[in-house]
Amino acid sequence: MKKKFTVTGMTCAACSARVTKVTSAVAGVDDVVVNLLKNSMEVDYDGAPETTEAICAAVKKAGYGASLVEGGTDQASPVQANKTTQAAQEETKRMRTRLIISIVFCVPLFYLSMGHMLNWPLPSVFLGHANMMTFALTQFLLLLPIVFVNFKFFRVGFTSLVHGSPNMDSLVALGATASTVYGVAAMYRVGLALGAGDLDGAHMAAMDMYFESAGMILTLITLGKFFEARAKGRTTDSLSKLMDLSPKRAVVLEGEHEKEVPVEQVKPGDLLLVKAGERVPVDGVVVKGSAAIDQSVITGESVPVEVGPGSAVTGATTSMNGWFTMRAERVGADTTLAGIIRLVDEATSSKAPIERLADRISAVFVPAVIAIALVTFVLWWAITGDFAAAVNHGISVLVISCPCALGLATPTAIMVGTGRGATEGILIKSAEALETAQSARTIVFDKTGTITNGSPCVTDVVPFGVEKEQLAFFAYAIEKRSEHPLAKAIVDYAFDLGVVCKEEAAGSGSDASASGATNTQEEGQACDEAAPTAAQVEESIWSFEQIPGGGIKAEIEGIVCFAGNARLMADQGISVADCADTAARLSSEGKTVLYFAWGDEVRGLVAVADLPKETSAKAIAELGSMGLKTVMLTGDDERTAKAIADQVGIDEVVAGVLPQGKEEIIRKLSDEGKVVMVGDGINDAPALARADVGIAVGAGTDIAIDAADIVLMHNDLCDVPAALDLSRATLRNIKQNLFWALLYNVVCIPIAAGAFIWAGLSLNPWIAAACMSFSSVCVVTNALRLRGWKRKV
């Protein structure tokens, strides 16, 4: 059972590594994923209350805080998510207050301590040997408020140190404490020297205090943390925008009365009223009324969809006109929007394999830095005999090292990348899928519903000795009672052509069409005034018989008609010689050819095919330009599959494959490199699960979506190359972050230790603190560049 915990007190990757270690050691815990960016962890454990208490106790003993999130893993609720957002905003405000107070006291402290060295004018009360104690005491008093408002560094840092899990706060606390203690010791030296009448000794001690270093360290670290907090807040912008889509209120119908309630109070089965311009509160079904619904926020489709009684509606979509009453079916965390938010939240909580490198380094980073600082201090004191220089270099090593940059390198990029994908309708379920997708070498597509529209339509009508309209009418009459998908395509074609009219019955029963029916046709269809209605055609069908493996035999107003394949025509003694070439040509194009005959002659051919989507060819061409091999995997016959592949530019076709066979072929392709499988049906689920990355189109089945690693909400194949390009951009950003974080520490720690002082390279502690803050901000800012990622197709 997976449950989510809020973790407090974490400041760097060393913290998250420590929390992971102590939680994993608790009996009953199977897996732990800690997210430093979100201050949370997801724990897979037995779910027992005593285990929950043990987890919280273990984390507390390590020097941090942990509490089970109400509802366990249910983070899809916008209300719960908003609480997290508000907490982050409050933390940023507190950080701003700390920063302002720190700057107010740090500026005069720095001015006072460095003014005499830089020839800045100072009040006479701080000048001269007689005022040396005043000079020292004022610096100490200016430092105290800075220490007070930033005491969290000391509390958390030393607590972690005592528990054997030092972190970034420990480094800051040690550095600031060492500077402060050294400064206090210098104050005593000033006092003792003045008491002994040693003015030169007092002057040297007064010029050798490190109060400004302590103040600058705390202030600059706080400045960096403030900018880091603001930048980290922007990484969740995409998720916040998704949450903002959720309606806040709903109008519930109680009898004849309307009652406006918070959407959280809506229950399954409630009747809700939705008016023009309002958002649909939850997922449900229309029971009365009609409207045009803008579903672009969910499906990406810009054209409003007409809904009426029986139509399904999705929460967060908008009613453009009209009104309707709906019955709530999925509410709260069960809505489509909540599911999208949950997917994004889970993806940002997961870890990419590349992050394990940072975790391994972070686990030993802080103890190693403390050891380096001690060695630096001892060596400098032993070699030079200069205690002040030894302290200076030791403190510089402590405060310049930056475990934060390592800890933030991966999660910030993943947070921004998955959020950016969500705004494009690309839902990435895990960070591992994001990393794996960028290394894919082969993209495998299912045909039906993925490359093609998923529903057959009439592509060619070839009459022989009759008018096109007459052939279409007879084809409609013959196929009307059939339940075959090809029959539906022919029926729709007849309506589109206008040879048969849909009707809106004025009465009821079988007499409605004969007496009071009004002929109507859907928008965009031209209905001939003389055309019969569907009900009238139904009356003209005297008999109907399906012939297994052949087609249909029907009697239309006394005329015996046949519709089916060439074998049916041969069985009935009807020659197909005159249309054989045409039929062969259409078949070679991957189309299903139906023969229509009456009066012992073939009267025409109707070709039906499941055509490729408009964007399929463009998407596959883009994948080719990315250096990826494309394969179409289908259960259809090879001729049909090859025809579709030629139209869209697929590299390789594997036809006639059963569902279990698809999984086997994916396994074989995996031997050549990472494989991405794109599908939409139940029969694609095994292949989606077997592939290194499974991508399900949004219009697919729930089973396919559950088995996939990435979900395309817009049902547009161009989202496939977009998802892979986003994956590459995110991994590139992560590698840049890790490179910077590692390079920074590898280069700066030796400089801070004084290893390059012979070349004139040396750092004061406060400059080291500024570098440390700059490092973390750089990593987060670099991750934010992903917000500007733009798709190519």
Side-chain angles (χ1 to χ4, degrees):
M1 178 184 294
K2 284 188 177 181
K3 290 193 176 182
K4 184 163 284 190
F5 290 75
T6 296
V7 182
T8 58
M10 294 193 301
T11 57
C12 67
C15 301
S16 60
R18 179 65 176 173
V19 171
T20 300
K21 183 177 180 180
V22 298
T23 306
S24 299
V26 175
V29 173
D30 296 322
D31 187 40
V32 182
V33 178
V34 178
N35 191 297
L36 173 65
L37 192 63
K38 296 163 68 177
N39 292 314
S40 67
M41 68 175 175
E42 194 171 78
V43 185
D44 189 356
Y45 68 111
D46 55 23
E50 54 270 23
T51 307
T52 302
E53 293 176 4
I55 291 171
C56 295
V59 174
K60 184 177 181 180
K61 186 177 179 181
Y64 308 93
S67 60
L68 182 66
V69 173
E70 185 179 351
T73 59
D74 180 15
Q75 290 295 293
S77 168
V79 175
Q80 179 64 43
N82 280 332
K83 289 180 180 178
T84 304
T85 302
Q86 289 173 4
Q89 291 173 346
E90 289 173 2
E91 177 62 24
T92 302
K93 289 181 180 178
R94 286 193 293 269
M95 192 69 71
R96 181 188 293 112
T97 302
R98 285 170 52 188
L99 176 61
I100 292 172
I101 294 174
S102 298
I103 291 175
V104 166
F105 288 93
C106 187
V107 170
L109 171 60
F110 183 80
Y111 187 94
L112 180 61
S113 63
M114 304 298 292
H116 61 283
M117 295 177 60
L118 301 174
N119 294 320
W120 290 343
L122 291 172
S124 59
V125 70
F126 299 121
L127 299 175
H129 292 320
N131 296 318
M132 281 186 289
M133 184 53 75
T134 305
F135 175 75
L137 185 59
T138 303
Q139 291 184 56
F140 179 64
L141 293 176
L142 286 171
L143 174 63
L144 290 179
I146 302 175
V147 172
F148 179 77
V149 296
N150 293 295
F151 196 73
K152 180 181 178 181
F153 288 127
F154 299 91
R155 185 181 68 252
V156 175
F158 285 120
T159 301
S160 300
L161 196 60
V162 168
H163 286 94
S165 56
N167 57 17
M168 187 215 73
D169 286 344
S170 302
L171 299 178
V172 174
L174 286 172
T177 300
S179 297
T180 303
V181 170
Y182 187 86
V184 171
M187 283 181 62
Y188 274 95
R189 286 164 52 204
V190 170
L192 291 173
L194 288 175
D198 184 2
L199 295 181
D200 290 336
H203 181 266
M204 288 181 62
M207 296 298 106
D208 196 26
M209 289 184 292
Y210 276 81
F211 290 137
E212 83 284 352
S213 292
M216 290 294 288
I217 289 170
L218 295 172
T219 301
L220 289 172
I221 297 297
T222 303
L223 176 65
K225 285 291 182 182
F226 172 69
F227 284 132
E228 182 183 312
R230 286 186 59 187
K232 280 166 36 178
R234 292 168 62 194
T235 64
T236 59
D237 279 355
S238 298
L239 191 58
S240 299
K241 289 176 182 177
L242 285 174
M243 292 187 292
D244 289 342
L245 293 174
S246 179
K248 304 300 184 288
R249 313 284 294 179
V251 177
V252 179
L253 294 178
E254 297 179 347
E256 297 182 355
H257 301 286
E258 300 176 8
K259 181 181 179 181
E260 186 174 304
V261 299
V263 73
E264 294 81 17
Q265 296 181 14
V266 175
K267 302 181 295 295
D270 284 351
L271 290 179
L272 310 176
L273 177 65
V274 181
K275 300 176 182 178
E278 295 180 347
R279 285 182 178 171
V280 179
V282 296
D283 296 358
V285 175
V286 177
V287 295
K288 183 181 179 182
S290 62
I293 300 294
D294 178 6
Q295 298 181 327
S296 58
V297 296
I298 301 295
T299 66
E301 177 59 54
S302 59
V303 179
V305 176
E306 296 290 337
V307 299
S311 300
V313 289
T314 305
T317 57
T318 304
S319 175
M320 304 302 292
N321 56 53
W323 66 273
F324 59 89
T325 301
M326 62 174 286
R327 181 176 62 254
E329 291 194 339
R330 294 191 298 274
V331 302
D334 296 326
T335 64
T336 300
L337 179 63
I340 293 172
I341 295 173
R342 182 164 53 247
L343 283 176
V344 176
D345 182 70
E346 289 173 354
T348 57
S349 298
S350 62
K351 285 193 175 184
I354 196 172
E355 193 171 356
R356 293 169 192 156
L357 170 64
D359 288 345
R360 287 195 295 270
I361 295 173
S362 301
V364 297
F365 183 84
V366 175
V369 168
I370 294 174
I372 292 171
L374 286 173
V375 170
T376 299
F377 170 76
V378 171
L379 288 177
W380 268 93
W381 194 13
I383 294 172
T384 67
D386 188 340
F387 184 80
V391 170
N392 181 80
H393 288 292
I395 293 172
S396 295
V397 170
L398 287 173
V399 297
I400 200 169
S401 57
C402 188
C404 285
L406 277 172
L408 294 171
T410 301
T412 50
I414 288 172
M415 177 74 81
V416 180
T418 52
R420 185 70 184 88
T423 61
E424 293 286 336
I426 302 168
L427 303 184
I428 301 166
K429 290 186 177 181
S430 70
E432 184 175 0
L434 190 69
E435 178 174 342
T436 305
Q438 63 89 29
S439 59
R441 294 293 175 264
T442 305
I443 314 298
V444 181
F445 293 93
D446 172 51
K447 181 181 77 71
T448 305
T450 303
I451 292 177
T452 65
N453 291 309
S455 57
C457 63
V458 173
T459 60
D460 302 86
V461 176
V462 185
F464 291 94
V466 295
E467 295 296 325
K468 180 180 179 180
E469 288 73 17
Q470 185 182 8
L471 174 60
F473 171 79
F474 271 90
Y476 170 87
I478 296 169
E479 299 283 0
K480 185 177 186 299
R481 293 184 181 180
S482 175
E483 297 178 353
H484 197 282
L486 300 184
K488 182 180 184 303
I490 292 171
V491 168
D492 290 341
Y493 174 76
F495 285 137
D496 291 341
L497 195 62
V499 296
V500 179
C501 289
K502 292 182 179 180
E503 69 277 355
E504 183 177 354
S508 61
S510 60
D511 295 331
S513 61
S515 57
T518 301
N519 291 348
T520 65
Q521 205 76 352
E522 292 182 3
E523 184 179 354
Q525 298 172 342
C527 181
D528 192 320
E529 293 181 359
T533 65
Q536 290 169 340
V537 175
E538 176 66 30
E539 293 177 356
S540 68
I541 304 173
W542 293 5
S543 66
F544 175 85
E545 177 188 355
Q546 288 188 322
I547 302 173
I552 297 170
K553 176 182 178 181
E555 190 173 355
I556 312 300
E557 293 184 339
I559 302 174
V560 178
C561 306
F562 296 92
N565 54 29
R567 185 174 59 187
L568 175 64
M569 298 297 112
D571 291 344
Q572 301 302 321
I574 300 173
S575 174
V576 296
D578 293 341
C579 57
D581 291 343
T582 303
R585 175 181 60 80
L586 294 172
S587 295
S588 68
E589 296 172 0
K591 300 171 182 176
T592 301
V593 180
L594 300 176
Y595 296 79
F596 288 86
W598 60 87
D600 296 329
E601 292 183 29
V602 174
R603 302 295 182 173
L605 303 176
V606 176
V608 180
D610 183 10
L611 297 176
K613 297 174 182 176
E614 291 182 3
T615 58
S616 293
K618 184 194 301 183
I620 290 165
E622 177 62 23
L623 290 171
S625 69
M626 295 170 69
L628 300 171
K629 175 184 175 182
T630 53
V631 178
M632 185 167 73
L633 207 57
T634 179
D636 284 355
D637 64 274
E638 188 168 353
R639 184 187 60 189
T640 301
K642 190 69 171 63
I644 295 295
D646 289 342
Q647 290 180 51
V648 298
I650 288 283
D651 296 328
E652 183 181 329
V653 176
V654 182
V657 185
L658 297 176
Q660 58 269 31
K662 290 184 178 182
E663 189 266 350
E664 293 173 3
I665 291 172
I666 293 293
R667 186 182 303 175
K668 291 179 181 178
L669 289 171
S670 295
D671 295 336
E672 303 173 8
K674 300 292 186 183
V675 175
V676 173
M677 173 69 192
V678 185
D680 74 320
I682 293 176
N683 63 341
D684 297 323
L688 288 169
R690 167 58 62 181
D692 296 290
V693 177
I695 299 180
V697 294
T701 63
D702 290 340
I703 294 177
I705 291 173
D706 288 342
D709 303 296
I710 299 175
V711 179
L712 308 181
M713 293 300 297
H714 295 169
N715 196 23
D716 183 349
L717 221 56
C718 282
D719 284 350
V720 174
L724 298 179
D725 185 59
L726 177 61
S727 171
R728 291 181 177 184
T730 303
L731 261 292
R732 188 163 54 246
N733 191 280
I734 289 173
K735 290 176 181 178
Q736 291 169 353
N737 284 347
L738 287 174
F739 175 77
W740 163 254
L742 291 170
L743 179 67
Y744 165 83
N745 285 291
V746 168
V747 172
C748 289
I749 290 177
I751 294 175
F756 297 99
I757 197 167
W758 54 270
L761 290 176
S762 183
L763 295 173
N764 287 326
W766 65 269
I767 296 177
C771 292
M772 187 268 205
S773 298
F774 177 72
S775 176
S776 296
V777 174
C778 279
V779 166
V780 179
T781 304
N782 185 53
L784 288 174
R785 291 193 307 110
L786 283 172
R787 298 172 71 198
W789 172 83
K790 293 182 180 179
R791 57 193 302 162
K792 297 176 182 177
V793 291

